[in-house]
Amino acid sequence: LRLTKNANEKSADLATQAICIIGNKDAIFSSLKGYGQALAELNRFSKMPLEKIRNLSADEQKSFEAAKSAPSVIGDGLDVGLQLNRSIFPIIKEALNDSDWQVRLGAIAVLNDMTQIFKNKELIPLFISKLDDKSNDVKEIALWKLQGVLGKDFKDDKVLWQQWWQEHQNEY
């Protein structure tokens, strides 16, 4: 069973990488939405009391198991795909403004992982721009990344973050 699961995860990871390498915008947005859905579901389960998780229905148990593995599989595929094809970076940036919050969540999560590849000067303004997103999940990732990378805490005050970044961006 584990061998089959690993093979399925590997296939999903490779499929996502292929989508990114090809650069098909619709397919990338679809992958981002799947990533966002999986992250949101995982976040939902992480806020449940342990006792409730122990007593999940069969359907909820399947959802829980899927939520545990899907984010890393899809996310890894998107990350590697973006590393291999940097030209899809504008597509990921565009996804940050999609009307579907799950697409935005997937995009911000991918960018969160990309700080090792892209320079902070490229990414910090994108994270700041999401501090007023309608989705709390998107805002949480943006704020967490800003606090971690810059070592500051202006809460979710977008104006303070923008002012600070304007004054200090040359230091990064």
Side-chain angles (χ1 to χ4, degrees), residues 132-166:
D132 59 359
D133 196 275
K134 294 175 188 171
S135 165
N136 285 332
D137 289 330
V138 173
K139 284 192 277 194
E140 284 176 13
I141 290 177
L143 183 58
W144 177 79
K145 187 49 130 186
L146 289 168
Q147 291 169 335
V149 170
L150 302 176
K152 302 293 175 194
D153 188 8
F154 302 119
K155 307 289 184 232
D156 61 354
D157 189 326
K158 187 176 176 178
V159 173
L160 283 178
W161 281 106
Q162 287 171 325
Q163 289 171 345
W164 188 89
W165 181 244
Q166 284 289 37

Side-chain angles (χ1 to χ4, degrees), residues 59-75:
D59 286 343
E60 288 175 318
Q61 186 65 35
K62 286 179 187 175
S63 182
F64 178 66
E65 292 301 321
K68 287 193 311 188
S69 64
S72 63
V73 174
I74 299 170

